[in-house]
């Protein structure tokens, strides 16, 4: 039994082949809604599957979107990629995800590899605010590119990110509201998100507040920070971690050193990844509106180039309070 063809769908729906093609390609703006409904029902009834390869040859589009994240070792970036994947699949496309190993040279290589694979567009989560720009700018001159979660200087394209300053204020206000006023920050500042969190914390707590800067986000970094915090426990009663992986490493080390969380030191994360709910205690964090950010990013990828002019679009964070900051 041969697979149903486009002409079979058109005949079953009682429309022209061109009308059926427009409906099934998602370009039915000028098609009567009743005709579009008949085409969709006929395609479903016959089990018709569009030939994406043939469409790509005709239009030059592949239906494939690439994503470059700094590392897949961080569960937040897996969660981020999944949010984008859901939006891309809903639009009928395919997602390819690759990992830059937290290295701008590898990041540039991965971008080039995806472009060589004829992706229709790219989401990039830049490794470095200062170092990722040139490769991204070059890519943006060849394909639609949207930066996601982070921005990079001189990238030549739009960035869809969290409002990091608002997120820091939410965390600090929450901690001060439970009586914690000796707050430390653990973060990196190579990425734009890390640098924004450091700056917002300094604005809130003053330049002399305890800030532990790390070369990146990792559980090992959280363990390192915990050892420094233990050495100055009398000066610290709460810690804002600039990433969930930092909070996981920090809390596990505090536990091993018999420092009670939250009784002695309250701790927050920043990404609201699933693992935070499983820890003892579950960790307070910031929820990113990843679905809304992904939807906006996909809209920008498909928009005219002028709508991707270099700028930053920020989305509002949500505070999720858990037992790591709540003794009740």
């Amino acid at each position: 039994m041969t697979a149903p063809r486009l002409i079979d769908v058109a005949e079953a729906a009682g429309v022209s082949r061109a009308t059926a093609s427009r409906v099934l390609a998602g370009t039915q703006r000028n098609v009567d809604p009743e005709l579009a409904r008949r085409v969709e029902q006929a395609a479903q009834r016959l089990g018709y599957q569009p030939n994406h390869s043939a469409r790509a040859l005709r239009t030059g589009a592949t239906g494939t979107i690439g994503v470059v994240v700094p590392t897949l070792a961080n569960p937040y970036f897996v969660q981020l990629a999944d949010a984008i994947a859901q939006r891309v699949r809903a639009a009928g496309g395919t997602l390819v995800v690759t990992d830059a190993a937290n290295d701008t040279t590898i990041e540039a290589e991965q971008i080039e590899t995806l472009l060589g694979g004829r992706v229709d567009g790219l989401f990039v989560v830049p490794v470095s605010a200062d170092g990722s720009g040139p490769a991204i700018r070059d890519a943006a001159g060849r394909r639609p590119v949207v930066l996601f979660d982070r921005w990079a200087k001189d990238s030549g394209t739009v960035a869809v990110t969290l409002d990091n300053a608002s997120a820091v204020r939410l965390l600090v206000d929450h901690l001060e509201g439970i009586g914690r006023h000796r707050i430390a920050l653990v973060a990196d500042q190579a990425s734009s998100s890390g640098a924004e969190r450091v700056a917002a914390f300094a604005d809130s707590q003053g330049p002399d507040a305890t800030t532990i800067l790390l070369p990146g986000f990792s559980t090992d970094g959280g363990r390192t920070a915990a050892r420094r915090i233990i050495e100055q426990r009398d000066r610290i009663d709460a810690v804002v971690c600039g990433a969930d992986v930092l909070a996981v490493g920090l809390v596990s080390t505090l536990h091993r050193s018999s420092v009670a969380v939250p009784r002695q030191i309250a701790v927050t994360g920043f990404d609201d990844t699933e693992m935070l709910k499983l820890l003892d205690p579950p960790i307070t964090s910031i929820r990113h509106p990843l679905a809304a950010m992904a939807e906006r990013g996909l809209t920008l990828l498909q928009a005219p180039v002028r709508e991707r002019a270099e700028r930053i679009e920020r989305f509002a964070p949500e505070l999720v309070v858990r037992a790591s900051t709540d003794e009740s």
Side-chain angles (χ1 to χ4, degrees):
M1 178 175 167
T2 59
R5 301 164 299 168
L6 180 63
I7 189 63
D8 299 323
V9 174
E11 290 176 354
V15 301
S16 69
R17 188 179 187 281
T19 296
S21 177
R22 286 201 300 276
V23 172
L24 296 173
T27 56
Q28 67 261 40
R29 278 185 304 175
N30 298 321
V31 177
D32 181 270
E34 173 60 22
L35 295 184
R37 184 185 63 81
R38 281 163 38 191
V39 170
E40 290 165 352
Q41 289 179 340
Q44 185 175 14
R45 185 169 66 251
L46 295 174
Y48 173 75
Q49 295 293 324
N51 187 334
H52 294 296
S53 297
R55 184 185 301 167
L57 288 173
R58 292 194 302 272
T59 66
T62 65
T64 301
I65 301 297
V67 177
V68 184
V69 298
T71 173
L72 288 169
N74 184 336
Y76 170 64
F77 294 125
V78 177
Q79 189 167 299
L80 176 156
D82 180 64
I84 296 173
Q86 290 184 42
R87 299 310 307 160
V88 171
R89 283 196 301 269
T94 302
L95 195 73
V96 178
V97 182
T98 188
D99 176 332
N102 283 317
D103 185 306
T104 55
T105 300
I106 296 174
E107 179 179 59
E109 292 170 353
Q110 294 301 319
I111 289 172
E112 193 60 37
T113 297
L114 288 172
L115 293 179
R118 297 182 64 238
V119 295
D120 294 338
L122 281 176
F123 286 103
V124 181
V125 184
V127 168
S128 167
D130 293 323
S132 294
I136 293 168
R137 176 176 284 276
D138 178 71
R142 298 151 64 191
R143 296 280 201 288
V145 177
V146 170
L147 304 188
F148 199 88
D149 186 67
R150 300 175 174 182
W151 49 264
K153 294 176 184 175
D154 301 320
S155 66
T157 192
V158 64
V160 176
T161 75
L162 186 73
D163 186 339
N164 285 293
S166 292
V168 169
R169 286 195 296 271
L170 282 174
L171 292 169
V172 168
D173 288 350
H174 167 64
L175 291 169
E176 291 181 340
I178 61 170
R180 306 301 175 103
H181 299 284
R182 292 172 288 136
I183 306 170
L185 174 72
V186 177
D188 92 316
Q189 59 180 6
S191 67
S192 66
S193 55
E196 287 181 346
R197 292 165 196 178
V198 170
F201 185 75
D203 286 344
S204 169
Q205 301 297 294
D208 297 328
T210 302
T211 301
I212 298 173
L213 299 179
L214 301 165
F217 296 137
S218 68
T219 52
D220 282 344
R223 295 186 188 100
T224 297
R227 289 190 286 270
R228 298 185 195 174
I229 286 166
I230 290 166
E231 292 172 355
Q232 46 187 322
R233 268 176 51 191
D234 59 329
R235 295 180 52 206
I236 297 170
D237 61 7
V239 181
V240 171
C241 293
D244 284 354
V245 287
L246 293 173
V248 170
L250 187 140
V251 168
S252 66
T253 302
L254 292 179
H255 279 173
R256 285 197 297 272
S257 302
S258 300
V259 177
V261 176
R263 184 170 57 82
Q264 292 174 282
I265 297 181
V267 177
T268 82
F270 216 100
D271 309 315
D272 197 40
T273 49
E274 287 294 318
M275 63 182 175
L276 296 190
K277 303 173 188 176
L278 307 176
L279 299 175
D280 184 19
I283 298 177
T284 293
S285 195
I286 289 291
R287 181 170 295 159
H288 302 221
L290 290 175
M293 290 167 63
E295 185 169 358
R296 177 57 178 160
L298 192 57
T299 297
L300 287 166
L301 274 185
Q302 299 168 323
V305 65
R306 65 179 179 276
E307 295 186 28
R308 290 190 298 277
E310 185 169 346
R311 67 187 187 282
I312 302 172
E313 294 192 6
R314 301 187 189 277
F315 282 67
E318 177 187 352
L319 176 67
V320 180
V321 177
R322 298 191 177 95
S324 69
T325 64
D326 184 2
E327 294 182 75
S328 60

